[in-house]
Amino acid sequence: MKTIVVPIVKNKTGDISDKGNYRPISLATIIAKVLDGVLDTILSDHIQLHDTQFGFRPGLSTESAILCLKHTVRYYVDRGTPVYACFLSPVYDLSRAFDLVSYDVLWRKVEDRGVPSEICGLLKYWYSKQINHVKWDDTLSEPYRLECGVRQGVLASPRLFKLYIDALIGELSSKRVGCSVGGVSINNISYADDMVLMGPSVRAVRELLKVCVAYAESHGLAYNVKKCEYIVFGVRGKPRTDEPDLFLNGSKLKKVTSFKYLGHFLADDLKDNVDIERERRALAVRSNMLARRFARCTDLVKITLFKAYCQSLYTSSLWINYTKRSLDALRVQYNNAFRMLLGLPRYCSASEMFAQARTDGFHAIIRKKTASLLRRVRDSHNSILKTVAENFNSPILKKFVHTLMFTNTSL
């Protein structure tokens, strides 16, 4: 039951002397990994999570969570009601959250879900007998045991942690406060540790925060108030200057005009220009890296690398409110990245070079990603995604259809 724990730097540009800038990853034996996979499969048959939990679940993704959030906000804003969104990110300070899980509470929750006693006993034995060593370069630390917290870097850990906070999600959703669409409560959305609370008033969000604080105290968890912020998605033409403050554990939360949620920038005016610029900058970094490191490779290798690293365009299927200038800047960056990687003339035809290389152009990528997201939304059994799929007047669905119908360069 021995495990090697390797600290991995989370932010390479940050302070490498800060222990909080490291993520511990467990390196287990092959037998332990096989056992972990079997346990995770068994747990998945017994642990059913709330629909507002999108993290590490089949058919769901970060895009699904962001889509539901933006859909809910637009549903209210289009009807003249502002939305207060409080981001508890990372919820319970996940840099330590996995390490704060109480075993007594966790095993009780596992047993309450009807997991066979043999599996519960195996989990308890594994955690109680596990011995860890931290590896730094070629040096191993003194052995130590886990007193609390789920193991990092194994398949079953995210499921166990989600179970640990699932009761909180259920309690929040059962509250008759906060946002709801089509009779479905969407006052909170979670992706593993990242949680956002949503309400049409400050009072509603305050009620939801009280539930979170009480749950954290009863489960040995703690919030990092410095990382919790909130946005007021206002109604156009109705500016509000007398907004009351939000507090968490007696500390005033910071109000911001934009927030990076699951890697996607949300602005209080719901415009996507900032997020498009985020992707343009990321694309520039990736393309420059490829051009520098693989300059001597064949064109076939370069095209393969381009498809792998430059065609992701993260959350591009969610962009519906932007200026033509911002999207054109990203398109030009995409085209220039391909030219630079293959050493093509700067002003050669973009459509011709992509056709000759049998590679999708910028707008083809956008259409494919939009079609993929739309298919997943319509096929999903998630109750919140169903509210999106069934609302045909939703600006997001209208944009999906517009993107798929028109193949010209103006989206």
Side-chain angles (χ1 to χ4, degrees), residues 148-168:
C148 62
V150 293
R151 300 167 62 222
Q152 294 273 4
V154 297
L155 291 175
S157 293
R159 194 178 304 278
L160 291 173
F161 179 75
K162 288 184 293 184
L163 172 62
Y164 197 75
I165 65 172
D166 191 61
L168 167 62

Side-chain angles (χ1 to χ4, degrees), residues 17-36:
S17 64
D18 180 13
K19 64 180 181 181
N21 193 28
Y22 289 86
R23 177 181 291 107
I25 300 297
S26 300
L27 302 180
T29 62
I30 298 298
I31 295 178
K33 291 181 179 179
V34 173
L35 176 61
D36 177 48

